[in-house]
Amino acid sequence: MYDINHHEELLFKRFIVPPKRNRYQELLSSERGRQKLIKHLDHFKDLDERYIQSIPSNLHQPKLIEDLLKRKGAPPECHVMSSNDKFDGQDLALGEALQHTIGKGFGTFLSCISGKLAYYESEEANFRYVLQRDDS
């Protein structure tokens, strides 16, 4: 039986536009569906704008983004969901995950605090966001 990762489940439950949430939850319920979803991460357009903050281009460096996420409460490790299959599905040190993500041309989510704090980077240049929800 396929087990949905808790980080991924809450990521798509809490940071996605409401009309698409159920569809993404369905995709996450199977390995095959998850792989379909992964293919769409490079150009992902369904983030709920109420919970995203664009990162200014002068902060587009791994250490600066790591510092920003840590100021928001990020722990030392994060969960990676990425179209880069070399790192997808792994739990990595936040700094290491950012080194493998920033500017590498892969759509990637780094879930720092399940359903509360994450990072998203598109395949496209300069599409980097902090995703944050403080409600419960």
Side-chain angles (χ1 to χ4, degrees):
M1 179 165 187
Y2 176 75
D3 288 327
I4 298 174
N5 179 283
H6 183 67
H7 276 279
E8 294 175 8
E9 178 183 26
L10 287 177
L11 186 70
F12 285 90
K13 187 182 251 184
R14 311 241 323 135
F15 294 115
I16 304 307
V17 292
K20 300 280 186 136
R21 287 180 190 159
N22 286 340
R23 176 65 181 139
Y24 288 124
Q25 292 297 308
E26 287 174 22
L27 287 171
L28 281 175
S29 68
S30 72
E31 181 61 38
R32 185 171 177 223
R34 185 182 181 280
Q35 290 309 312
K36 276 184 175 181
L37 180 54
I38 293 291
K39 290 179 184 178
H40 294 289
L41 293 184
D42 288 343
H43 304 283
F44 196 78
K45 302 289 185 206
D46 293 326
L47 294 173
D48 191 329
E49 291 188 16
R50 295 175 295 175
Y51 308 114
I52 65 173
Q53 171 193 352
S54 183
I55 298 175
S57 59
N58 64 325
L59 298 179
H60 286 192
Q61 297 171 36
K63 182 64 177 143
L64 297 176
I65 294 175
E66 180 181 9
D67 292 344
L68 173 66
L69 290 167
K70 284 184 174 180
R71 282 193 306 274
K72 293 179 175 291
E77 284 197 345
C78 65
H79 177 77
V80 180
M81 184 177 194
S82 178
S83 64
N84 182 347
D85 59 3
K86 187 174 179 183
F87 302 104
D88 178 53
Q90 294 186 35
D91 292 333
L92 296 174
L94 181 58
E96 178 183 358
L98 287 163
Q99 287 287 339
H100 294 304
T101 299
I102 296 176
K104 302 300 184 199
F106 293 97
T108 301
F109 282 103
L110 304 179
S111 178
C112 301
I113 301 172
S114 296
K116 294 186 181 227
L117 181 64
Y119 170 80
Y120 171 70
E121 177 163 331
S122 170
E123 172 188 69
E124 302 166 48
N126 299 320
F127 283 84
R128 297 182 176 109
Y129 304 100
V130 170
L131 292 65
Q132 186 171 22
R133 282 187 73 157
D134 293 324
D135 56 10
S136 31

